[in-house]
Amino acid sequence: MPLRVGILGATGAVGQSFVQLLADHPLFEVTALAASERSAGRTYREATNWIGADEPPERIADVEVQPCEPGLDCDLVFSGLDAGVAGEIEAAFARAGYPVVSNARNYRMAPDVPLLIPEVNPDHTALIERQDWSRSESESRGDGETRADSAVAHRPSPITHRSRGGFIVTNPNCSTVGLVMALKPLADAFGVEAVHVVTMQALSGAGYPGVPSLDALGNVIPHVGGEEEKMARESRKLLGRLTEAGVEDAALMVSAQCNRVPVLEGHTECASVRLATPASPEEVAEVMAAWEGPLAGMGLPTAPRRPLRVFADERYPQPRRHARAGGGMQVSAGKVQACPAIAPEGYGVKFVVLSHNTIRGAAGGAVLNAELLHAQGYLEARAEPAREPAPLG
Amino acid sequence: MPLRVGILGATGAVGQSFVQLLADHPLFEVTALAASERSAGRTYREATNWIGADEPPERIADVEVQPCEPGLDCDLVFSGLDAGVAGEIEAAFARAGYPVVSNARNYRMAPDVPLLIPEVNPDHTALIERQDWSRSESESRGDGETRADSAVAHRPSPITHRSRGGFIVTNPNCSTVGLVMALKPLADAFGVEAVHVVTMQALSGAGYPGVPSLDALGNVIPHVGGEEEKMARESRKLLGRLTEAGVEDAALMVSAQCNRVPVLEGHTECASVRLATPASPEEVAEVMAAWEGPLAGMGLPTAPRRPLRVFADERYPQPRRHARAGGGMQVSAGKVQACPAIAPEGYGVKFVVLSHNTIRGAAGGAVLNAELLHAQGYLEARAEPAREPAPLG
Amino acid sequence: MPLRVGILGATGAVGQSFVQLLADHPLFEVTALAASERSAGRTYREATNWIGADEPPERIADVEVQPCEPGLDCDLVFSGLDAGVAGEIEAAFARAGYPVVSNARNYRMAPDVPLLIPEVNPDHTALIERQDWSRSESESRGDGETRADSAVAHRPSPITHRSRGGFIVTNPNCSTVGLVMALKPLADAFGVEAVHVVTMQALSGAGYPGVPSLDALGNVIPHVGGEEEKMARESRKLLGRLTEAGVEDAALMVSAQCNRVPVLEGHTECASVRLATPASPEEVAEVMAAWEGPLAGMGLPTAPRRPLRVFADERYPQPRRHARAGGGMQVSAGKVQACPAIAPEGYGVKFVVLSHNTIRGAAGGAVLNAELLHAQGYLEARAEPAREPAPLG
Amino acid sequence: MPLRVGILGATGAVGQSFVQLLADHPLFEVTALAASERSAGRTYREATNWIGADEPPERIADVEVQPCEPGLDCDLVFSGLDAGVAGEIEAAFARAGYPVVSNARNYRMAPDVPLLIPEVNPDHTALIERQDWSRSESESRGDGETRADSAVAHRPSPITHRSRGGFIVTNPNCSTVGLVMALKPLADAFGVEAVHVVTMQALSGAGYPGVPSLDALGNVIPHVGGEEEKMARESRKLLGRLTEAGVEDAALMVSAQCNRVPVLEGHTECASVRLATPASPEEVAEVMAAWEGPLAGMGLPTAPRRPLRVFADERYPQPRRHARAGGGMQVSAGKVQACPAIAPEGYGVKFVVLSHNTIRGAAGGAVLNAELLHAQGYLEARAEPAREPAPLG
């Protein structure tokens, strides 16, 4: 019997993506949609400017949208909220005992909140044990990455056993995830010391209405607000080591230059990496291609068969052709070559990596996070408040 | 009185660009158009699938296209020939005594052929003195960069005085020129040891018909054939030092990753540089912005007022807005920041650079080369074969 | 047990589409791939420049490509051949007894070849009875629509019973099918006398490499070779009436202006129609939306649930959002309004229609044709030439 | 000595276009820039998100933006205001005695306001004599086309002599102008009874930020709000006849279907026309190509050498190649063919027409209107309020 899930920010771009990805999910059933006051009380169809292909699933289209307040009839919530409001609302749901699987950036860097890519750092979910939202005051918090940081940090003391308490788990920025998935097997095999990465990011990463077409068409915008810092900061936490004291950031120098290009889906990134031990491009490509990751055999519904695919054809990967590989969850790489600029002979390698920004890099990543939490036993049905009347649709 | 010029490969993409740029040039007057046998004998209008905006200039449109053989009525030729044929044809013109100002890649790396950016290495034109085409045999040569190399190298012995002899001068690849113009003031001020550069190149760089639209639209192609090697090789020669023995390559490690993006004009490049002496991003930006270059005050018609413009606005430069700055001859830069990945603290800097690929990076670069040669006294009117009847148009 | 099918022109754009659409088809199993001599003998993976998303299906990728000659081990062939070669090759297969379900234009206008949209004129398959390829000489024929016409016409005499003989069935041009499917219910309900239609056609309609990106990006090309004539001619045959003497063209005046726009998939068309009897836009929209078509209840696997969907939202249909509706087989319409220019008050109506050009307008249309033929009993397993060794994959 | 001009709405998309077009104008010198309260008090450079290529002209960039209130130091104003505010502000300027040359839609259909294309209906400027803003009350008016209509209509009585009073002149919608310029010579030569027109409009027509890139890229939007009605209404007024009682609309039925396509500049339109007297496509093309228009010989600086250019090449006109012909002021046409759907044999003709939407269709059209007014003596220097200190720059 599937867990009942609510979607916060259901009418926005990320929320719409959640709706699509969860339409036929074997573990989760959407039972509540929540959005801003403006949308509340209308059907999902009426409240939503559906930006994807086709239309919202029939079953969902006529559901009434509720306000983003605890009390939703569900066992966990997915959050596609904007950072401007996610801090307070997600905290309120956590305090009310809901697991919150969030795509927002507000709590990503909080010391006791897992920043999670299931294939990369599945053990970081243990941070959940340190969260104790029942004792946190209901003050305003989490409305910025730094402030969230301290807000969580000042809470009394971590507890070691958690039962029925709410918590927050986050997934990284859409441009971080592809890079880190390509780096993970290299970090394990050779050690990774430094990365210079140049992104060519899809327009859908900016949400809707997002980038004006007059800026986008036939153009490159060499700037994506805040993205370069996020890539540096998040990569170190994701590749960090879980210790008694929390996550110890990886000693990895990441320098990013982020660009917007006229592509609809799929962030393409050119990375140049300094390894800790020497390796030829062929060895690097082989390690990437052979990487199975820790999810192999776990049967998580959204996990791709292989996390990383390495192309031999030098024209690939390309966003229009390969972003949707593995349902948008597989990361593609290619053009693995030596890079003599970033490191001495034998230590430098460069390659191209591609990932789907709104699936793997947003809603799909969050769904996979929830599947991992489910497999690890962090999710359970909450005490049911009178489920008799068929919930929706 | 303007010098009379011929255009080799006049009907192709680069040739069309020459026709446009020379339409109202104060120093040069187009008196001959040459192209393949297929086009010869037809008017320029008939022979040309004009790909630019609007149409060929009236005066040129009715000129009869001639075959690419010495005998053209002109004082010098510009070559927009494809590399497949440029080697032999350009050699034939040089042997026949014509100065050849070429955009083709065939002779760029030949030791006695200047690879020239007037703002960067104007003194390299002295290599012309080493060329002695009158003594070269009429064998097949120059049909590949390496072969051209040796073909020129095996010629008897350089001469030190040249009079009325033909010669070849080349401009670099379209993705090299923007990078090297940004590096030049840094090399002078701080020394440059290594560069990792990622290009986002315009479709027009592939000529016509070039990239199929099904590959281009909404896509990134992480591969531009041969471009990565050219950027590395040409940069070292351009920034090299002229010695008694020829050009000594700069000790600069360039590692490039080249991409095609759906942009019509303007190559955008993200560079990360390791300096020889430390400098802050502010110092680097200031040195770039203050650079006047060696052409200041020379009054070359095609030279931009300043060779390099540095934007403070973090959203700029953008190809659609700034590629045509300075008539497409000014290079734009921006987003100068520290790069902690390529070098230890204080030695790494990254920035964005943009240049127009078909103007500065091709025909416009060649025209500026010719203007420099003119100012240096390398060009002169050849013995005039009966000029009475108005030449054309 | 599925019928065994071969694909002629399997490596081309349409052939690739057949491969995708037939990968998991309940009625048909691909057992032979044929292409030009250049591809024959190589595996499909090697011989094909796969232009779609992702890659060819695993099972197909290692199949050896054969030449386009009768002898293929299959019960029928789908033809994605270019018109330049389709005439002769398809005739050869028909003479050899194969049913040929073709997307090529060569035989569309031949009097005894059905030009077929299953929802529009399923009864036209009766023309097959008139085809007698066994008696046709093996002369060159069908290399142009007009010549095919007469070539077929001059054959001795139609026969009325067919057994095990080969035949050819065709689907219309990609820009004709959407228009005609929208017109069909109007023709039935009100009569249709004249149509002025302006197309905005996707780039994929031109095949690969097709339109150069420099012509396509940010541009409109007001010309698609031969398309305007095809739309006029084919519409009349499709909406024509089957009589003893063959198909009697509909008395419908179609005037088309065809444009190429920078869209990847989906032809959008603006049509203005003069009706034979007056109707309000609301009545017209209702008749379109209510149309079930003759396939309702037949269970053809590729048939969309409803052939035509009518949007109330004035911003729809849009190619990027709706071209793939119903697996690319459903036609979308919208913006039904009165058109006072084409007809007197009450008789003129205009609307927008959208169809997927490479699915409904090409390979998918042909597959649906084959499904109809199967349902009508025109397809059967041919005498099996030793099927023991599992054919492929 | 040039007239001093102010620009209302100077920071918006149309205002920026005015700034560019008037930078070096021989008749007009920009002496005042006005925009919303938010911009007032800042320099033009600071207040403006410059969306065009490059940057605002140096001389203008440091000018202080003023509020949109009468009192600007200038002899006339150009208005690039949004329709939401243009009604009141333009009326206020007219009441204060300024000639207002407006691109806004508010007064286009007012009976005593000229809706003007200088090549089409230059005599309509006589309507100015009917305007008497000195007697109009300062009530709210003109905030919608219909209300403006009646607001102007109810004013006391037209006067026949005007001196130093303010007035308003407008140019048509960007999609109307190309169509009407193509129709004008046909209306004169053959009579025009009905037009079905399908537009493919550039994104810049929607202003900035305008169309979100996720809606625009690789898509067609079959809807441009209000455009279809405007094209019908404005065409009739523009081609109407000036009588004692005002403009008598042309008896022309225009039915438009308007689409947005991913093009930056240039509206392409496919028109099908029913003529009053029969003409072959060749005759129609010849009449178009031969049309000199009433401005020939007048020397208006912005007028193209010929108003209409007709291409023989069936691939032309194309927006990317030809929108900027004649500085963006020449209209291009092509593909003139018979249209058997809209009219009986011989009376129907179809063609493609292209015009630059932000130059000819907006600011450039308004500048040409002002040049015509200048030539007709409607513009003069106003009493100069102390001009000593050089006004700006």
Side-chain angles (χ1 to χ4, degrees):
Chain A
M1 178 159 161
L3 291 171
R4 295 163 303 140
V5 307
I7 299 174
L8 306 180
T11 58
V14 178
Q16 292 183 29
S17 194
F18 277 124
V19 165
Q20 280 190 304
L21 295 170
L22 296 170
D24 295 305
H25 198 282
L27 302 178
F28 307 121
E29 181 190 9
V30 178
T31 55
L33 301 171
S36 68
E37 289 299 333
R38 207 185 49 236
S39 299
R42 302 160 72 192
T43 67
Y44 188 63
R45 190 196 310 274
E46 292 163 357
T48 305
N49 178 25
W50 189 255
I51 59 175
D54 222 334
E55 305 219 319
E58 270 305 310
R59 200 184 65 84
I60 300 291
D62 295 319
V63 174
E64 185 182 315
V65 176
Q66 303 175 59
C68 283
E69 292 161 9
L72 298 181
D73 178 25
C74 57
D75 302 317
L76 71 152
V77 292
F78 287 100
S79 166
L81 292 168
D82 282 339
V85 299
E88 281 193 52
I89 295 175
E90 294 181 0
F93 275 86
R95 274 194 304 271
Y98 292 84
V100 178
V101 183
S102 172
N103 180 61
R105 67 165 188 263
N106 305 58
Y107 294 102
R108 283 182 194 153
M109 300 309 295
D112 49 9
V113 170
L115 175 62
L116 194 63
I117 300 175
E119 289 94 336
V120 170
N121 60 342
D123 56 318
H124 287 203
T125 52
L127 287 178
I128 290 170
E129 306 291 343
R130 295 165 173 262
Q131 297 183 30
D132 181 6
W133 292 88
S134 64
R135 297 170 63 180
S136 104
E137 312 89 58
S138 76
E139 62 191 80
S140 169
R141 54 197 297 282
D143 53 342
E145 283 142 296
T146 317
R147 290 180 55 188
D149 222 346
S150 54
V152 176
H154 92 305
R155 274 181 292 116
S157 65
I159 54 169
T160 51
H161 183 73
R162 202 188 56 78
S163 173
R164 286 286 164 93
F167 60 84
I168 298 178
V169 166
T170 64
N171 55 281
N173 183 271
C174 55
S175 52
T176 305
V177 64
L179 176 66
V180 169
M181 284 186 64
L183 291 179
K184 176 60 177 170
L186 306 189
D188 290 350
F190 312 112
V192 168
E193 293 181 351
V195 184
H196 176 234
V197 60
V198 175
T199 69
M200 294 170 280
Q201 301 182 221
L203 298 165
S204 53
Y208 187 88
V211 185
S213 54
L214 292 182
D215 289 334
L217 203 81
N219 203 16
V220 171
I221 306 172
H223 181 67
V224 180
E227 201 85 349
E228 300 177 352
E229 297 73 22
K230 280 182 217 163
M231 288 190 76
R233 195 167 53 210
E234 296 179 5
S235 298
R236 283 193 292 268
K237 181 169 179 182
L238 284 159
L239 293 169
R241 196 166 56 91
L242 187 70
T243 68
E244 286 293 302
V247 173
E248 183 186 306
D249 277 4
L252 167 65
M253 198 59 84
V254 176
S255 174
Q257 288 175 288
C258 294
N259 302 280
R260 194 72 74 187
V261 294
V263 163
L264 286 170
E265 299 179 330
H267 288 356
T268 309
E269 308 183 357
C270 286
S272 171
V273 177
R274 186 163 73 240
L275 303 171
T277 55
S280 71
E282 293 71 28
E283 288 169 314
V284 167
E286 203 174 314
V287 162
M288 280 180 168
W291 186 49
E292 294 200 330
L295 305 187
M298 286 180 64
L300 303 191
T302 297
R305 207 167 50 81
R306 297 190 79 85
L308 201 53
R309 175 182 179 182
V310 182
F311 284 92
D313 190 323
E314 64 191 358
R315 301 167 302 169
Y316 298 151
Q318 295 176 2
R320 197 166 74 68
R321 291 201 163 89
H322 307 114
R324 289 188 166 265
M329 291 299 287
Q330 189 181 54
V331 174
S332 300
K335 294 210 66 172
V336 185
Q337 302 178 81
C339 181
I342 202 168
E345 173 88 24
Y347 289 81
V349 67
K350 63 189 176 192
F351 52 82
V352 177
V353 64
L354 165 72
S355 62
H356 196 293
N357 56 301
T358 64
I359 301 180
R360 172 54 90 162
V367 170
L368 186 59
N369 281 357
E371 292 170 5
L372 175 68
L373 294 170
H374 183 267
Q376 291 176 334
Y378 282 103
L379 300 181
E380 53 196 15
R382 303 172 79 221
E384 282 117 298
R387 275 190 90 184
E388 282 86 52
L392 59 81
Chain B
M1 180 160 161
L3 290 171
R4 295 163 303 140
V5 308
I7 300 174
L8 306 180
T11 58
V14 178
Q16 292 182 28
S17 195
F18 277 125
V19 164
Q20 279 189 304
L21 294 171
L22 295 170
D24 295 306
H25 199 281
L27 301 178
F28 306 122
E29 182 191 7
V30 177
T31 56
L33 301 171
S36 68
E37 289 300 333
R38 206 185 50 236
S39 299
R42 302 160 73 193
T43 66
Y44 187 65
R45 191 196 309 274
E46 292 163 357
T48 305
N49 178 25
W50 189 255
I51 60 174
D54 222 334
E55 305 219 317
E58 270 306 311
R59 200 183 64 85
I60 299 290
D62 295 319
V63 174
E64 185 182 315
V65 176
Q66 303 175 59
C68 284
E69 293 160 8
L72 298 182
D73 178 23
C74 57
D75 301 318
L76 71 152
V77 293
F78 287 100
S79 166
L81 293 167
D82 281 340
V85 298
E88 282 194 51
I89 295 175
E90 294 181 0
F93 274 87
R95 274 195 303 272
Y98 291 83
V100 178
V101 182
S102 172
N103 180 61
R105 67 164 187 264
N106 305 59
Y107 293 103
R108 283 182 195 153
M109 300 309 295
D112 50 9
V113 171
L115 175 62
L116 194 63
I117 300 175
E119 288 95 336
V120 169
N121 61 342
D123 56 317
H124 287 204
T125 53
L127 286 178
I128 291 170
E129 304 293 343
R130 295 165 173 262
Q131 297 184 29
D132 181 7
W133 293 88
S134 63
R135 297 169 63 180
S136 104
E137 312 90 59
S138 75
E139 64 193 76
S140 169
R141 53 196 298 283
D143 54 343
E145 283 141 296
T146 318
R147 290 181 54 187
D149 223 346
S150 55
V152 175
H154 91 306
R155 274 182 292 118
S157 65
I159 53 168
T160 49
H161 183 72
R162 202 188 58 77
S163 173
R164 286 285 165 94
F167 60 86
I168 296 178
V169 165
T170 64
N171 54 283
N173 182 272
C174 55
S175 53
T176 305
V177 64
L179 176 66
V180 169
M181 284 187 64
L183 291 178
K184 176 61 176 169
L186 306 189
D188 289 351
F190 312 112
V192 168
E193 293 181 351
V195 184
H196 176 233
V197 61
V198 174
T199 68
M200 294 170 280
Q201 301 182 220
L203 298 164
S204 54
Y208 187 90
V211 185
S213 54
L214 292 181
D215 288 335
L217 204 81
N219 203 17
V220 171
I221 307 171
H223 181 66
V224 181
E227 201 85 348
E228 300 177 352
E229 296 74 21
K230 280 182 217 163
M231 288 190 76
R233 196 167 52 210
E234 296 179 5
S235 298
R236 284 193 292 267
K237 181 170 179 180
L238 284 159
L239 292 169
R241 197 167 54 92
L242 186 71
T243 68
E244 285 293 304
V247 173
E248 183 185 306
D249 277 3
L252 168 64
M253 198 58 85
V254 176
S255 174
Q257 289 176 288
C258 293
N259 302 280
R260 193 73 73 188
V261 294
V263 163
L264 286 169
E265 298 178 330
H267 288 356
T268 309
E269 309 183 357
C270 287
S272 171
V273 176
R274 185 163 73 238
L275 303 172
T277 55
S280 71
E282 293 72 27
E283 288 169 315
V284 166
E286 202 174 317
V287 161
M288 280 179 167
W291 185 49
E292 294 201 328
L295 304 188
M298 286 180 64
L300 302 191
T302 297
R305 207 165 51 79
R306 297 191 79 83
L308 200 56
R309 175 182 179 183
V310 181
F311 284 91
D313 189 324
E314 64 192 357
R315 301 167 304 168
Y316 298 152
Q318 295 176 2
R320 196 166 74 67
R321 291 202 163 89
H322 307 115
R324 288 188 166 265
M329 292 299 288
Q330 189 180 53
V331 173
S332 300
K335 293 208 68 170
V336 184
Q337 303 178 80
C339 181
I342 202 168
E345 174 87 24
Y347 289 80
V349 68
K350 63 188 176 191
F351 52 82
V352 177
V353 64
L354 165 72
S355 62
H356 196 293
N357 56 300
T358 63
I359 300 180
R360 172 54 91 161
V367 170
L368 186 59
N369 280 357
E371 291 171 4
L372 176 69
L373 293 170
H374 183 267
Q376 291 176 334
Y378 282 104
L379 299 182
E380 54 195 14
R382 302 174 79 221
E384 282 118 296
R387 274 189 93 185
E388 281 87 51
L392 60 81
Chain C
M1 183 161 157
L3 290 172
R4 295 163 303 138
V5 308
I7 301 174
L8 306 180
T11 59
V14 178
Q16 293 184 28
S17 194
F18 277 124
V19 164
Q20 279 191 304
L21 295 171
L22 295 169
D24 296 304
H25 198 281
L27 301 178
F28 306 121
E29 182 191 8
V30 177
T31 56
L33 301 171
S36 68
E37 288 300 334
R38 206 183 50 235
S39 299
R42 302 160 72 193
T43 66
Y44 188 64
R45 191 196 310 276
E46 291 163 357
T48 305
N49 177 27
W50 188 257
I51 60 174
D54 222 335
E55 306 219 317
E58 270 308 309
R59 201 183 65 83
I60 300 289
D62 295 318
V63 174
E64 186 182 314
V65 177
Q66 303 176 58
C68 283
E69 293 161 8
L72 298 181
D73 178 25
C74 58
D75 302 318
L76 71 152
V77 292
F78 287 101
S79 166
L81 293 168
D82 282 339
V85 299
E88 281 194 52
I89 295 176
E90 294 180 0
F93 275 86
R95 273 195 303 271
Y98 292 84
V100 179
V101 182
S102 172
N103 180 61
R105 69 164 187 264
N106 304 58
Y107 294 102
R108 283 182 193 151
M109 300 308 296
D112 50 9
V113 171
L115 174 62
L116 193 62
I117 300 176
E119 288 94 335
V120 170
N121 60 341
D123 57 317
H124 286 204
T125 53
L127 287 178
I128 291 170
E129 305 292 344
R130 298 164 171 263
Q131 298 184 29
D132 181 5
W133 293 88
S134 65
R135 297 170 63 179
S136 103
E137 311 91 59
S138 76
E139 63 191 77
S140 169
R141 54 196 298 284
D143 53 344
E145 283 142 295
T146 317
R147 291 179 53 188
D149 223 344
S150 54
V152 175
H154 92 306
R155 274 182 294 120
S157 65
I159 53 170
T160 49
H161 182 72
R162 200 189 56 81
S163 172
R164 284 288 163 92
F167 59 84
I168 297 178
V169 165
T170 63
N171 54 282
N173 183 271
C174 55
S175 51
T176 305
V177 64
L179 177 67
V180 169
M181 284 185 64
L183 291 179
K184 176 61 177 171
L186 306 189
D188 290 351
F190 312 111
V192 168
E193 295 181 349
V195 184
H196 175 233
V197 61
V198 175
T199 69
M200 294 170 279
Q201 300 182 222
L203 298 165
S204 54
Y208 187 90
V211 184
S213 54
L214 293 181
D215 288 334
L217 205 81
N219 203 17
V220 170
I221 306 172
H223 181 67
V224 181
E227 202 85 348
E228 299 176 352
E229 296 73 21
K230 281 181 216 163
M231 288 189 76
R233 194 168 52 210
E234 296 179 5
S235 298
R236 284 193 291 267
K237 180 168 179 182
L238 284 158
L239 293 169
R241 196 166 55 92
L242 186 70
T243 68
E244 286 293 303
V247 173
E248 182 186 307
D249 277 3
L252 168 64
M253 197 58 84
V254 176
S255 173
Q257 288 176 287
C258 293
N259 302 280
R260 193 73 74 186
V261 294
V263 163
L264 286 170
E265 300 178 329
H267 288 356
T268 309
E269 308 183 357
C270 286
S272 172
V273 177
R274 186 164 71 240
L275 303 171
T277 55
S280 70
E282 294 70 29
E283 288 168 315
V284 167
E286 202 174 317
V287 161
M288 282 179 167
W291 186 49
E292 295 199 331
L295 305 187
M298 286 181 65
L300 303 191
T302 297
R305 205 167 51 80
R306 296 192 80 84
L308 199 55
R309 174 181 178 185
V310 181
F311 284 92
D313 190 324
E314 63 192 356
R315 302 168 304 169
Y316 298 152
Q318 296 176 2
R320 196 166 75 67
R321 291 203 163 87
H322 308 113
R324 288 188 166 266
M329 291 299 287
Q330 189 181 53
V331 173
S332 299
K335 293 208 69 170
V336 185
Q337 302 177 82
C339 181
I342 202 168
E345 174 88 24
Y347 289 81
V349 67
K350 62 189 176 191
F351 52 82
V352 177
V353 65
L354 165 73
S355 62
H356 197 293
N357 56 301
T358 64
I359 301 180
R360 171 55 89 162
V367 170
L368 186 59
N369 280 356
E371 292 170 5
L372 175 69
L373 293 170
H374 182 267
Q376 291 177 334
Y378 282 104
L379 300 181
E380 53 195 15
R382 303 173 78 222
E384 280 117 300
R387 274 190 93 186
E388 280 88 52
L392 60 81
Chain D
M1 181 158 160
L3 290 172
R4 294 162 305 141
V5 309
I7 301 174
L8 306 180
T11 58
V14 177
Q16 293 184 28
S17 195
F18 276 125
V19 165
Q20 280 190 304
L21 294 171
L22 295 170
D24 295 305
H25 198 282
L27 301 178
F28 306 121
E29 181 191 10
V30 178
T31 56
L33 302 171
S36 69
E37 288 300 331
R38 207 183 51 238
S39 299
R42 301 160 73 194
T43 66
Y44 188 65
R45 191 195 310 275
E46 291 162 357
T48 306
N49 178 26
W50 188 255
I51 59 175
D54 221 334
E55 304 220 318
E58 270 307 311
R59 199 182 67 83
I60 299 290
D62 295 318
V63 174
E64 186 181 315
V65 176
Q66 303 176 58
C68 284
E69 292 161 8
L72 298 181
D73 177 25
C74 57
D75 302 318
L76 70 153
V77 293
F78 287 100
S79 166
L81 293 168
D82 282 339
V85 299
E88 281 195 53
I89 295 175
E90 294 181 0
F93 274 87
R95 274 196 302 271
Y98 292 84
V100 178
V101 182
S102 172
N103 180 61
R105 69 167 186 263
N106 304 58
Y107 294 102
R108 284 183 194 152
M109 300 310 295
D112 49 10
V113 171
L115 174 62
L116 193 62
I117 301 175
E119 289 94 336
V120 169
N121 60 342
D123 57 317
H124 287 204
T125 53
L127 287 178
I128 291 170
E129 305 292 344
R130 296 164 173 263
Q131 297 184 29
D132 182 6
W133 293 87
S134 64
R135 296 169 66 178
S136 105
E137 312 89 61
S138 75
E139 65 192 77
S140 170
R141 54 197 296 284
D143 55 344
E145 284 142 294
T146 318
R147 290 181 52 188
D149 223 347
S150 54
V152 175
H154 91 306
R155 275 183 293 117
S157 64
I159 52 169
T160 49
H161 182 71
R162 202 188 56 79
S163 173
R164 285 287 164 93
F167 60 85
I168 297 178
V169 165
T170 63
N171 55 282
N173 183 272
C174 55
S175 52
T176 306
V177 63
L179 177 66
V180 170
M181 284 186 64
L183 291 179
K184 176 60 177 170
L186 306 189
D188 289 349
F190 311 111
V192 168
E193 293 181 351
V195 183
H196 175 234
V197 61
V198 175
T199 69
M200 295 170 280
Q201 301 182 220
L203 298 165
S204 54
Y208 187 90
V211 184
S213 53
L214 293 181
D215 288 334
L217 205 81
N219 203 16
V220 171
I221 306 171
H223 180 67
V224 181
E227 202 85 347
E228 299 176 351
E229 297 72 21
K230 281 182 218 163
M231 288 189 76
R233 195 168 51 209
E234 296 179 6
S235 298
R236 283 194 292 268
K237 180 168 178 181
L238 284 158
L239 293 169
R241 196 166 55 92
L242 187 70
T243 68
E244 285 292 304
V247 174
E248 182 186 307
D249 278 3
L252 167 65
M253 198 57 85
V254 176
S255 174
Q257 288 175 290
C258 294
N259 302 280
R260 193 73 73 186
V261 293
V263 163
L264 287 170
E265 299 177 330
H267 288 356
T268 309
E269 308 183 357
C270 287
S272 171
V273 177
R274 185 165 71 241
L275 303 172
T277 55
S280 72
E282 293 71 29
E283 288 169 314
V284 167
E286 201 174 318
V287 161
M288 281 179 168
W291 186 49
E292 294 201 330
L295 304 188
M298 285 181 65
L300 302 191
T302 296
R305 205 165 52 80
R306 296 190 79 84
L308 200 54
R309 174 181 178 185
V310 181
F311 283 93
D313 189 324
E314 65 191 356
R315 301 167 304 169
Y316 298 152
Q318 295 176 3
R320 197 166 74 66
R321 292 202 163 86
H322 307 114
R324 288 187 167 267
M329 291 298 289
Q330 189 180 51
V331 173
S332 300
K335 294 208 67 170
V336 184
Q337 303 177 81
C339 182
I342 202 168
E345 174 88 23
Y347 289 82
V349 67
K350 62 189 177 193
F351 52 82
V352 177
V353 65
L354 165 72
S355 61
H356 196 295
N357 56 300
T358 65
I359 301 180
R360 172 54 90 163
V367 170
L368 185 59
N369 281 357
E371 292 171 4
L372 176 68
L373 293 171
H374 182 268
Q376 290 176 335
Y378 282 103
L379 300 181
E380 53 196 16
R382 302 172 78 223
E384 281 118 298
R387 274 190 91 187
E388 282 87 49
L392 60 81

